Amino acid sequence: MDLLDDSREVIRNDGLLLLQQLTKGNAAIQKIVAFENAFERLLDIITEEGNSDGGIVVEDCLILLQNLLKYNNSNQNFFKEGSYIQRMKPWFEVGDDNSGWSAQKVTNLHLMLQLVRVLVSPMNPPGATSSCQKVMYQCGLLQQLCIILMATGVPADILTETINTVSEVIRGSQINQDYFASVNAPSNPPRPAIVVLLMSMVNERQPFVLRCAVLYCFQCFLYKNQKGQAEIVATLLPSTIDATSLSAGQLLCGGLFSTDSLSNWCAAVALAHALLENSTQKEQLLRVQLATSIGNPPVSLLQQCTNILSQGDKINRRGSKVQTRVGLLMLLCTWLSSCPIAVTHFLHNAANLTAQISENLGEEEQLVQGLCALLLGICIYYNDNSLENNTKEKLKQLIEKRLGKEIFIEKLSFINKHECYSKAAQKPQPTFSNPDHMMFDHEFTKLVKELEAVIIKAVYKSSEEDKKEEEVKKSLEQHDNIISHYKNVIREQDTQLEELKQSVSSLQAKNEQLQTTVSQQLAQIQQHKDQYNVLKVQLGKDNQHHNAHNSSAQVNGFQPEEVSRLKEEIEELKKQQDLLKGELSEKNTLIQNLSSQAGSQTEQATGGSEQVSELQKEIETLRSQLYVQSSEINRLQTERMELLQKIEANATAAAPGDHAPQAKNIELEEKVASLLRELNSTKEELKSVSEERASLKQELDSVRSTAAILQDEKLKLTQEVSESKKEQDDLLILLADQDQKILSLKNKLKELGEQVEDEDDLESGDAADEDDLDDDDGREDDM
């Protein structure tokens, strides 16, 4: 093992060859090598050498890994638990260009695929295989293999081995089978991978080993996969057939009735696997109708298979003469087993099987005779006697009359004596050297083993035994129904019991929590009692020995430090009370000042408004006087104009030496002059009055603005008074709280035995303050 780490490649490579020889067929050495960290070292070498692109060293490592893992369950488990399967995924990462692979790369990849198959081989224990399959799906190894499966340019032998590897990775694993069903080929339009593979299987131009690999893949896909079986059968049913795309069912029917015998056999076996251990799909397949030719009515799939079987060698086919009939007989045997309805349909339209059984033909035909005997035996064993002409008893009489029971049993034994039967029974994968040897399917060999003994027993039974058996079956069915009923009852009771157990366990947990809480509370109560007793004893001692030496001891649970702290708190509260009282008096003074100021401003506003009214009255008086004077002036001006007109008239009429009118004119002019002077004086007086009026108006505007300002200030003062009153109430409440706290602290100090001075003066001061506050409140209410 140390040679694998040698820096000299020649030594390391020879060490690999030596370990290959040592580990061949020796489980003990295989375990020793595996537990000496061989897997880690070999995988590191493969990675260093370039995985599948590496040389002969990678091949030697892969051969050694196969020696360590093949047929060695403990090493396989160690390989899986060591997370080495995950390290295999990079081996299968191939590019888009897969042309021109070297021979060494093909060899390496072939060995890598075989190594995967070693881990998931059907010959391994089922638990180990399923766990490896699960890991391969989770790490993406299966997905990588499907990419190679659908890639183009991959060599034929690598593609064949990849199909076989994918087959065993998905065999019996529901999650892997579901993933494989979802894989699509990179075509336009995309087709499911299953359809693409079936196209290769029924194509006679494809290599034989590739067609066998596809058949194995289809068998593994349907193995213990009732969901997949239903999907395949559904593609044949009339309600689900899609004429626009090619389905798996259409391909199987096409292969079943083609002129290539190998396609007939592969399609028959593939369809039989869609029915294995699935009574529902056996009944569903009876609904399948086939259009044989234009103008003729459709026939059922079962009838068509029977028709081809009865025709024998009349149809010219490529390949083995009996291969088609063997495939159809295996399909019919699988279909009719455990399905009395299918047996009834078959017997209703059955060909003369006894004639084919009784014919003495060659060795190859003996196999067909044996399968026909098996099919007839299935019709007897699973017959429900619903057809009067084909009851169990009448079929047995037919065998006795045409063949004889011994000959019938001899014909039946032809099956398991055939060489191909023993080869097919060895392992699930169909491996045949040439197409002519392709006769039996692995699952069919298990069905033959299961049915052979019961058919022989059913043929030799008398009618009375059949009746008794029928009665026993009915009683067993009734018994089974009763048992199933009680099983359901027990199952329900188990469910209820589990629920009750869970509720009991939850209640027990709650009870334990409550008990823990109670015990904790009891412990606390006991602890408090102990403390109380201790304090009681100490209090008694303190009451008996109250002196100076005991000043430092506890007094009713209080320390002297606490007493001094309480005194300090009282002093601080007193100081705070004095400060609050000072603030209260300041607030009262401020309220009084604001109230007096608001009153004076109100009086000023009232006086100003009275003065304004007086000025307005005086202005109105002056206006009336001015109106009177103006009317007087107008009258005088009118008289003046009249006099001037008279003067002009007299002047034209009078002589030049007449002085009397002239004297009168002088008099009138003097009178007019005096009136003009009086008018000027009145104008001046009116002007002065107007000026006085303007000044009074300005004064009135200023007084009005002053009154508005005073009104705003009054509102602000009123708000301040209300806020001050609220603050005063808060201070009173705070003072009351402090008084209460001081009183409680004094009482506590008195209980502690401290001397506390009386505060009668303080109380009288408080009462006086309250009286003052009451007086202030009264004044504010008056305002």
Side-chain angles (χ1 to χ4, degrees):
M1 288 302 301
D2 292 338
L3 296 179
L4 296 180
D5 295 328
D6 199 293
S7 59
R8 295 163 292 184
E9 291 189 4
V10 177
I11 303 297
R12 183 197 66 184
N13 297 342
D14 286 343
L16 286 171
L17 296 175
L18 176 59
L19 285 171
Q20 284 182 20
Q21 300 301 320
L22 288 173
T23 54
K24 279 184 179 179
N26 193 318
I29 295 178
Q30 289 170 3
K31 289 182 180 180
I32 293 171
V33 173
F35 283 94
E36 285 292 331
N37 205 21
F39 295 139
E40 184 77 30
R41 298 182 185 183
L42 292 173
L43 292 173
D44 288 341
I45 294 172
I46 292 172
T47 303
E48 291 171 4
E49 294 291 328
N51 294 327
S52 61
D53 293 322
I56 190 69
V57 177
V58 173
E59 181 181 348
D60 293 337
C61 291
L62 292 170
I63 293 172
L64 179 55
L65 283 171
Q66 283 193 27
N67 291 345
L68 296 174
L69 294 173
K70 200 167 187 177
Y71 309 124
N72 194 318
N73 296 328
S74 63
N75 281 4
Q76 290 175 9
N77 190 46
F78 180 64
F79 189 84
K80 175 181 68 69
E81 292 181 351
S83 300
Y84 296 120
I85 294 177
Q86 289 85 335
R87 296 185 61 180
M88 298 169 69
K89 180 189 173 185
W91 295 354
F92 305 103
E93 293 177 354
V94 296
D96 296 332
D97 185 13
N98 297 313
S99 59
W101 283 19
S102 64
Q104 186 62 55
K105 181 173 182 177
V106 172
T107 302
N108 290 343
L109 203 54
H110 201 276
L111 289 171
M112 290 173 177
L113 292 168
Q114 287 180 350
L115 189 62
V116 175
R117 294 185 64 185
V118 166
L119 295 171
V120 292
S121 171
M123 312 307 293
N124 294 342
T129 300
S130 62
S131 60
C132 289
Q133 288 173 334
K134 184 177 179 181
V135 173
M136 289 178 183
Y137 173 76
Q138 291 174 345
C139 73
L141 179 58
L142 173 59
Q143 293 85 330
Q144 203 63 45
L145 291 173
C146 289
I147 291 173
I148 298 176
L149 192 67
M150 294 291 106
T152 56
V154 178
D157 52 346
I158 294 297
L159 181 60
T160 303
E161 190 63 24
T162 303
I163 295 172
N164 289 326
T165 306
V166 171
S167 306
E168 294 182 352
V169 173
I170 67 174
R171 187 176 189 270
S173 174
Q174 187 66 54
I175 186 171
N176 292 7
Q177 289 167 338
D178 291 342
Y179 170 77
F180 184 69
S182 67
V183 175
N184 287 324
S187 60
N188 190 16
R191 285 178 175 170
I194 297 172
V195 172
V196 175
L197 291 175
L198 288 177
M199 290 171 66
S200 300
M201 185 186 76
V202 297
N203 186 354
E204 56 185 298
R205 288 175 294 181
Q206 293 291 341
F208 172 66
V209 289
L210 179 63
R211 298 173 74 180
C212 291
V214 172
L215 175 62
Y216 183 46
C217 184
F218 191 74
Q219 291 173 347
C220 292
F221 170 67
L222 296 178
Y223 182 71
K224 294 183 179 180
N225 183 12
Q226 292 193 350
K227 179 182 176 183
Q229 290 174 326
E231 290 173 353
I232 297 299
V233 174
T235 60
L236 286 166
L237 298 178
S239 59
T240 57
I241 291 177
D242 185 7
T244 60
S245 61
L246 202 60
S247 66
Q250 292 170 347
L251 287 170
L252 291 177
C253 281
L256 191 63
F257 305 122
S258 72
T259 56
D260 178 35
S261 59
L262 183 58
S263 296
N264 300 153
W265 189 91
C266 290
V269 172
L271 197 56
H273 275 260
L275 306 176
L276 275 176
E277 299 178 359
N278 196 328
S279 300
T280 303
Q281 302 311 319
K282 291 177 182 179
E283 295 177 5
Q284 287 291 321
L285 201 63
L286 294 172
R287 298 170 49 201
V288 177
Q289 299 290 320
L290 301 175
T292 54
S293 60
I294 300 173
N296 293 329
V299 297
S300 67
L301 177 63
L302 183 64
Q303 180 64 41
Q304 184 68 11
C305 291
T306 307
N307 294 339
I308 295 174
L309 192 61
S310 63
Q311 292 173 3
D313 294 333
K314 295 178 182 179
I315 301 174
N316 293 324
R317 300 180 186 276
R318 289 180 294 275
S320 174
K321 295 180 180 181
V322 298
Q323 198 170 40
T324 298
R325 285 187 288 164
V326 170
L328 289 173
L329 285 167
M330 286 195 297
L331 172 60
L332 291 173
C333 290
T334 306
W335 194 345
L336 269 58
S337 64
S338 304
C339 187
I341 299 175
V343 171
T344 302
H345 279 72
F346 177 75
L347 291 175
H348 188 70
N349 298 308
N352 192 355
L353 287 176
T354 54
Q356 296 191 37
I357 297 172
S358 61
E359 291 178 356
N360 292 319
L361 301 173
E363 185 178 351
E364 290 182 349
E365 291 293 335
Q366 289 181 351
L367 181 58
V368 176
Q369 293 176 3
L371 291 171
C372 289
L374 178 67
L375 183 59
L376 186 57
I378 291 172
C379 291
I380 294 172
Y381 184 71
Y382 291 105
N383 196 329
D384 58 359
N385 296 324
S386 58
L387 295 175
E388 294 183 1
N389 296 328
N390 290 298
T391 60
K392 286 185 177 182
E393 188 61 30
K394 289 187 176 180
L395 289 175
K396 286 192 287 184
Q397 291 175 3
L398 182 64
I399 291 173
E400 183 70 28
K401 182 179 178 181
R402 296 282 183 91
L403 296 172
K405 294 180 180 178
E406 291 78 10
I407 296 175
F408 177 83
I409 301 303
E410 182 184 358
K411 300 285 185 181
L412 187 62
S413 64
F414 287 161
I415 299 173
N416 53 23
K417 290 179 181 178
H418 199 280
E419 182 182 1
C420 295
Y421 177 89
S422 58
K423 288 183 178 180
Q426 293 176 0
K427 58 181 181 179
Q429 183 182 0
T431 52
F432 304 101
S433 56
N434 60 68
D436 293 336
H437 294 165
M438 207 169 188
M439 290 295 175
F440 286 107
D441 173 56
H442 177 75
E443 293 295 329
F444 181 74
T445 60
K446 294 196 291 187
L447 182 66
V448 172
K449 289 179 183 177
E450 179 185 343
L451 294 176
E452 187 176 9
V454 296
I455 288 173
I456 294 172
K457 187 176 179 182
V459 169
Y460 278 105
K461 278 182 184 177
S462 62
S463 59
E464 295 179 355
E465 290 176 344
D466 284 337
K467 290 179 181 179
K468 289 181 180 179
E469 187 176 354
E470 288 294 331
E471 292 176 357
V472 170
K473 280 185 178 180
K474 289 181 180 178
S475 63
L476 287 175
E477 287 177 357
Q478 293 177 355
H479 186 260
D480 290 339
N481 293 332
I482 295 171
I483 290 174
S484 61
H485 172 68
Y486 281 113
K487 282 182 178 178
N488 293 330
V489 172
I490 293 170
R491 194 176 294 109
E492 292 176 358
Q493 291 178 349
D494 288 340
T495 305
Q496 294 176 357
L497 185 62
E498 286 297 326
E499 292 177 354
L500 291 173
K501 284 181 179 180
Q502 291 177 359
S503 61
V504 167
S505 61
S506 62
L507 290 173
Q508 286 179 349
K510 289 181 180 178
N511 187 24
E512 291 176 357
Q513 292 178 357
L514 292 173
Q515 286 181 353
T516 305
T517 306
V518 169
S519 61
Q520 291 176 355
Q521 290 179 351
L522 289 174
Q524 290 178 357
I525 291 169
Q526 186 62 37
Q527 185 179 0
H528 290 319
K529 283 183 179 179
D530 296 340
Q531 291 178 357
Y532 173 74
N533 292 330
V534 171
L535 291 172
K536 192 173 181 181
V537 171
Q538 290 180 355
L539 182 62
K541 290 181 180 179
D542 290 341
N543 291 333
Q544 293 174 2
H545 306 285
H546 184 69
N547 50 30
H549 296 287
N550 298 335
S551 59
S552 61
Q554 289 185 350
V555 181
N556 288 340
F558 294 96
Q559 296 290 344
E561 293 83 2
E562 190 172 358
V563 173
S564 61
R565 182 177 58 77
L566 292 172
K567 286 182 179 181
E568 291 175 359
E569 288 182 2
I570 290 171
E571 292 297 328
E572 290 179 359
L573 290 171
K574 284 182 179 181
K575 291 178 182 179
Q576 291 180 3
Q577 188 178 21
D578 294 334
L579 291 173
L580 291 171
K581 284 182 178 180
E583 291 179 3
L584 186 61
S585 61
E586 290 177 1
K587 293 287 183 181
N588 287 331
T589 305
L590 179 61
I591 289 168
Q592 291 175 0
N593 293 333
L594 292 172
S595 299
S596 60
Q597 187 177 357
S600 63
Q601 289 179 351
T602 304
E603 291 173 359
Q604 289 177 4
T606 306
S609 61
E610 291 175 356
Q611 187 176 3
V612 169
S613 63
E614 289 176 358
L615 289 171
Q616 287 179 347
K617 289 178 181 179
E618 187 176 354
I619 288 168
E620 291 296 328
T621 305
L622 289 172
R623 281 179 178 174
S624 61
Q625 292 178 0
L626 180 62
Y627 178 77
V628 173
Q629 289 177 357
S630 297
S631 60
E632 183 69 22
I633 289 168
N634 290 330
R635 185 182 61 79
L636 290 174
Q637 286 179 349
T638 305
E639 290 180 354
R640 178 174 175 274
M641 293 298 294
E642 290 176 353
L643 288 173
L644 287 174
Q645 290 176 358
K646 287 179 180 180
I647 290 169
E648 289 177 356
N650 290 327
T652 57
D658 196 358
H659 295 283
Q662 189 174 5
K664 193 174 183 178
N665 287 338
I666 293 168
E667 184 180 356
L668 288 171
E669 287 179 358
E670 288 176 356
K671 191 176 181 178
V672 170
S674 63
L675 287 171
L676 289 172
R677 285 193 297 271
E678 187 177 354
L679 180 60
N680 292 329
S681 63
T682 302
K683 285 184 178 180
E684 290 176 358
E685 187 177 356
L686 182 59
K687 184 178 181 182
S688 62
V689 169
S690 298
E691 292 176 355
E692 186 176 357
R693 179 190 175 191
S695 63
L696 286 173
K697 189 175 182 181
Q698 290 178 356
E699 188 174 353
L700 178 61
D701 292 337
S702 64
V703 168
R704 283 179 178 173
S705 62
T706 305
I709 293 169
L710 290 173
Q711 190 69 22
D712 293 338
E713 291 182 357
K714 180 182 177 181
L715 292 173
K716 290 181 180 178
L717 290 172
T718 305
Q719 291 177 356
E720 290 181 0
V721 167
S722 62
E723 290 176 358
S724 299
K725 190 174 181 180
K726 288 181 182 178
E727 291 180 0
Q728 185 180 9
D729 293 338
D730 295 339
L731 290 171
L732 286 172
I733 293 170
L734 184 59
L735 285 172
D737 292 339
Q738 287 185 347
D739 288 339
Q740 187 67 30
K741 191 171 183 181
I742 289 169
L743 183 60
S744 64
L745 291 172
K746 283 182 179 180
N747 292 332
K748 191 177 286 187
L749 288 172
K750 287 179 181 180
E751 289 177 1
L752 294 173
E754 293 292 330
Q755 294 296 327
V756 181
E757 296 180 358
D758 294 333
E759 298 292 339
D760 296 335
D761 297 336
L762 183 60
E763 292 177 0
S764 61
D766 293 338
D769 292 336
E770 290 176 0
D771 292 338
D772 295 338
L773 289 171
D774 292 336
D775 293 339
D776 294 336
D777 293 338
R779 285 195 298 274
E780 289 175 1
D781 293 334
D782 293 338
M783 290 172 63

